[in-house]
Structure formats: C-alpha cells, structure tokens
Amino acid sequence: MEEDMNSLHENHTYDLVELPKGRKTLKNKWVYKLRTEEGSSRPRYKTQIVVKGCNQKKGVDFDEIFPPVVKYSCIRVELGIATSLDLEVEQLDVKTTFLHGDINEEIYMEQTEGYEEPGKKHLVCRLMKSLYGLKQAPRQWYKKFESFMTKQSFKKTIVDHCVFIKRYENENFIILLLYVDDMLIIGQSKSKIVGLNNALSKSFAMKDLGPATANPWGESDQRSLDVS
C-alpha cells in the first residue's frame, strides 16, 4: 500500500483542492491480490487503488473510452516471422500502467482511506493522471504510448494500431507489439532493442522480462497463446 501511494505521488497523479460547488467526488477502494510469478513459488503481494468509475457520467467525466489492443492473429504472424528469420524477441512489462495517462476532464476523487492528509481531510483529489477503474484510463494510456512511439519514429501498421514498426538502414527493423501493459519487441539487432528499452525506461516505469517465453503474456494474466 505504501508503494502504491508512493507511485501516485511520484507520478503527480492528483492535487488536493477544495471541491467546487455543484461537483461530486468519485469513491475509491483498495484491491488486494496474490500473484505467483513464473519460476517462483513465493507469492507476490500486490495492491491497487481503484476508482469506482461506475459513477462517472458520460459527457462530464469521460467521452471516448475505446483503447485498441494487439490482435492475436498479428501476434502469431510476428512470432512466425521471428522464428523463420531467427530474430530476437524480448518481453517488457509496464508498471503502474494507467498512471502514465493524462486526464483531460475535470474529475474529483475522495482521498484514499487510511492515507488522508492530516489537517486536510476536507480536501478532495483533483485527478491529473488516470487511475485504474476510470472508464477512460486504458484509452489515455494508449494515447500516451502512441505519442511516445511517434516521437521515436515508429509507425503504426494499418491493419493493427498496436503494432509499431521502425525501419533502419541495411533493411534492419524493430517491431513492437502492445497488449495493454505488456510488450513484445522483435528485431534483428540486440543493440537496437536495448536502445528502445532504455528509451522506454526513461519515460515509463518498466520491467524487463528478458527473452520471451512460450507464453509471452504470462499465466497469471490468462493471456496464453496458441502460436502453432
């Protein structure tokens, strides 16, 4: 819980303000999970602050909410290319994914239970970044990531807006596949993949999972793929 609150503060997720007249606040709650990572028998304790987005009003608290995710057919094609050309395939994970998305709307949330600011309990949180539970959170994260990839000279494919490609000299290239907070990076040059990894780490909180396994998305997330 302390780590989660620190992440909120580090990402400047909200400002404490007086609630404007006529506005309402959204409630939030703590969600607790136990996860067992691959190759380890020890459980990992995980908490998240989740906004009760069911109380959001369209046109006031949100507008567009649809976020694209990479199609399984595209994953199979790209992994097939990687296999036939003997390419490098690396896997990355984004920590506190939705905290990277910016909020365009004026949204207020109650202070988190157990972490109210002393002497400021009458104030509310004016959200500056998206939080888990907000209806527009996945879309805001995608828009943030898309903007980053454009600045890195990557282009979206026409058939799938979560497949990004960058071409270099000598027919070299890198392909990045995005599935919410999971990424696969495919390329010929290990050094160029490391360079992209470093650029990502400077902009987002990343976890390098190393070479992709037979189940790239991990059993805990129930995203196993049949690539046969």
Side-chain angles (χ1 to χ4, degrees):
M1 291 167 70
E2 292 288 346
E3 290 178 4
D4 205 43
M5 290 303 299
N6 289 336
S7 294
L8 296 187
H9 294 310
E10 289 171 3
N11 286 280
H12 188 54
T13 307
Y14 61 82
D15 289 330
L16 287 178
V17 300
E18 296 274 359
L19 181 64
K21 187 176 180 179
R23 298 306 301 267
K24 294 183 178 181
T25 57
L26 297 176
K27 296 181 180 296
N28 60 71
K29 65 177 181 179
W30 285 104
V31 175
Y32 304 92
K33 296 179 181 179
L34 270 179
R35 287 187 175 180
T36 303
E37 296 184 344
E38 187 175 353
S40 174
S41 59
R42 297 184 61 183
R44 180 165 66 94
Y45 296 84
K46 183 177 178 61
T47 65
Q48 275 182 348
I49 298 172
V50 178
V51 181
K52 295 184 178 180
C54 57
N55 295 322
Q56 287 182 265
K57 292 185 178 180
K58 187 173 183 179
V60 177
D61 300 317
F62 69 93
D63 188 13
E64 295 291 334
I65 63 174
F66 173 75
V69 294
V70 66
K71 301 172 185 175
Y72 278 6
S73 57
C74 290
I75 297 174
R76 294 187 181 97
V77 168
E78 301 302 342
L79 291 180
I81 293 173
T83 301
S84 62
L85 299 179
D86 194 24
L87 304 178
E88 301 282 346
V89 182
E90 297 288 323
Q91 185 176 1
L92 302 174
D93 177 72
V94 187
K95 301 177 183 178
T96 58
T97 312
F98 292 163
L99 299 189
H100 296 294
D102 299 315
I103 290 293
N104 300 322
E105 296 81 10
E106 191 175 334
I107 300 178
Y108 299 93
M109 180 187 75
E110 294 181 356
Q111 292 193 52
T112 306
E113 182 182 1
Y115 289 89
E116 298 90 348
E117 289 284 338
K120 299 180 180 180
K121 293 186 178 181
H122 63 289
L123 300 180
V124 298
C125 303
R126 163 74 190 275
L127 294 183
M128 312 303 293
K129 301 284 186 177
S130 58
L131 277 175
Y132 288 87
L134 286 179
K135 293 183 181 295
Q136 67 267 52
R139 181 177 180 84
Q140 294 306 116
W141 154 242
Y142 174 80
K143 289 172 65 177
K144 186 83 169 185
F145 186 77
E146 179 191 27
S147 175
F148 167 83
M149 294 300 285
T150 299
K151 291 178 181 178
Q152 298 295 318
S153 301
F154 279 78
K155 294 183 177 180
K156 298 182 296 185
T157 61
I158 296 175
V159 296
D160 195 322
H161 286 184
C162 286
V163 178
F164 298 86
I165 298 178
K166 183 176 181 178
R167 299 185 183 278
Y168 299 89
E169 297 178 354
N170 302 323
E171 298 185 352
N172 211 332
F173 62 87
I174 286 184
I175 301 173
L176 185 144
L177 312 176
L178 177 68
Y179 191 107
V180 189
D181 58 352
D182 288 305
M183 303 177 195
L184 288 179
I185 301 178
I186 301 171
Q188 299 154 297
S189 171
K190 181 72 173 181
S191 62
K192 293 190 182 302
I193 292 177
V194 171
L196 175 57
N197 192 347
N198 291 337
L200 285 164
S201 298
K202 289 180 180 178
S203 297
F204 311 108
M206 303 294 300
K207 182 178 181 181
D208 188 348
L209 302 178
T213 62
N215 177 6
W217 303 127
E219 293 181 3
S220 62
D221 289 332
Q222 298 180 347
R223 297 172 184 169
S224 56
L225 305 173
D226 178 9
V227 295
S228 58

